[in-house]
Amino acid sequence: MLRSLLAKSETAGPIRYALLHWRARTRYVDNGLLEIDNGAAERALRAVAVGRKNYLFMGADSGSQRAASLYSLIGSAKLIGLDPAFYLRTVLATIVEHPTNRIEELLPWNASLLTDSAQAA
């Protein structure tokens, strides 16, 4: 097909690119564990990219560090299957009376106060 197109046509460039990278583009056929596209990875990193742009406008390094901490908490909650809004509401309601020396108990992966039954409510 490429031979029937003019070398400098708009269609020839993309076809040439696809043929040049054919092995990489069809790798998922040989390995069933590979995804056909990287959409899931791109969606997972979108919050990081948006956050990185937002950090520029936090006004101070301390504000950027706080924002990065919140993004990390929310991302961690999502990764382990917690509803981030529920997690933050629960932690903010609990943190005032929680002992400071046991603050790690409130991290998403340790949060004993978060059970499936409580999250469903």
Side-chain angles (χ1 to χ4, degrees):
M1 176 166 182
L2 188 58
R3 291 183 190 137
S4 64
L5 296 172
L6 292 174
K8 297 197 181 217
S9 73
E10 288 185 31
T11 310
I15 291 174
R16 193 176 299 109
Y17 178 84
L19 291 173
L20 226 131
H21 297 92
W22 190 255
R23 181 174 160 86
R25 297 176 67 77
T26 59
R27 178 95 168 105
Y28 69 92
V29 174
D30 299 327
N31 185 340
L33 297 175
L34 298 176
E35 296 288 334
I36 194 168
D37 65 12
N38 64 348
E42 287 182 7
R43 283 189 299 279
L45 291 173
R46 185 168 292 131
V48 174
V50 169
R52 188 175 51 234
K53 288 181 182 178
N54 290 340
Y55 301 151
L56 295 173
F57 303 102
M58 292 294 171
D61 287 345
S62 60
S64 297
Q65 290 168 354
R66 285 188 191 98
S69 296
L70 277 174
Y71 278 113
S72 295
L73 281 174
I74 291 169
S76 296
K78 284 181 183 179
L79 279 174
I80 61 173
L82 294 174
D83 173 25
F86 172 80
Y87 168 72
L88 288 175
R89 273 195 315 272
T90 306
V91 168
L92 291 174
T94 309
I95 200 165
V96 175
E97 297 168 2
H98 198 80
T100 317
N101 62 344
R102 293 186 5 228
I103 202 74
E104 69 279 350
E105 292 174 0
L106 298 178
L107 294 173
W109 50 89
N110 291 336
S112 59
L113 68 149
L114 301 170
T115 62
D116 290 341
S117 59
Q119 188 172 355

